[in-house]
Amino acid sequence: MIVILLGPPGSGKGTQAKALVKRFSFPHISTGDIFRANLTLGTPLGLEVKSYLSLGQLVPDELVVRLVLARLTEPDVVEHGALLDGFPRTLVQAQSLSDFLSQQGQKITACLYFDLPDDELIIRLIGRMVCRDCGRNWHEKFNPPPSSLICDSCGGSVIKRGDDAEETAIERLKVYRQQTKPLVDWYEERGLLKRVQSFGNPSEVALAVEKALNS
Ligand code: AMP
């Protein structure tokens, strides 16, 4: 089973990813998480992608495609499939994924598309607080994290992502509209798109995900 999560930053993909991974026991491949982990560790990959992330720009296709396709050949993915979160993000990436999967005799099960209006996305992004280790998230105003800023799920530090600063968040939304939104039509044309209404709290959105997957 290969499921893609598509949608603008702040639309709730990461939160729903955690629930889906628990339910279907398949690996969660989040390109954003991979890049942030490498940045924190100061690896050569982290250094290579640092400026793109801090400016809210996309990492070049060639690098992302190489990274994800290599991950897709690992035994856990071959056995269980994968949840792709944040990939593909351009038409080049979508085409490369599609070519790779057909060579492997595999198919995408569904592309879940999460959408929300821009004003709601900005409110969510600039108030977002995340656990650096497990990725659990809160909102400064609407769902504040523990006052200790220690994650009560895993004990990691709760932080604000650098790229959630207002200026960068606006740039990320602009980049999303220009480069990623065209994938909505691309997957719709291939009969794979399932729309998820992303308003409401995480359990309401989880119900919408369930409905979309069963449709
Ligand atoms: P995310 O956590 O998915 O919002 O990703 C954070 C940042 O990582 C993005 O703003 C991009 O700079 C980079 N990134 C993540 N996934 C991709 C991708 N598929 N293609 C290019 N850049 C990506």
Side-chain angles (χ1 to χ4, degrees), residues 9 13 30-33 35-36 49 52-54 56-61 64 68 85-90 93 128 161 163 172:
K13 300 186 299 295
S30 158
T31 40
D33 284 353
F35 292 142
R36 277 184 293 278
V49 301
Y52 299 103
L53 268 77
S54 61
Q57 297 289 333
L58 293 186
V59 171
D61 285 331
V64 189
V68 175
D85 170 6
F87 179 92
R89 245 174 162 105
T90 64
Q93 294 178 17
R128 178 159 73 175
R161 275 173 52 171
D163 60 353
R172 286 161 65 210

Side-chain angles (χ1 to χ4, degrees), residues 113-127:
Y113 169 49
F114 296 75
D115 200 14
L116 270 182
D118 274 8
D119 49 356
E120 176 71 20
L121 292 168
I122 291 285
I123 291 170
R124 285 194 185 188
L125 286 173
I126 63 182

Side-chain angles (χ1 to χ4, degrees), residues 127-130 136-152 158-159:
R128 178 159 73 175
M129 308 278 294
V130 296
R136 179 168 168 198
N137 63 60
W138 295 264
H139 189 281
E140 271 172 339
K141 272 196 201 143
F142 309 128
N143 173 28
S147 53
S148 59
L149 297 184
I150 301 293
C151 172
D152 42 18
V158 177
I159 55 155

Side-chain angles (χ1 to χ4, degrees), residues 56-73:
Q57 297 289 333
L58 293 186
V59 171
D61 285 331
E62 197 258 315
L63 194 163
V64 189
V65 167
R66 196 163 17 97
L67 178 91
V68 175
L69 298 193
R71 178 69 184 90
L72 292 179
T73 61

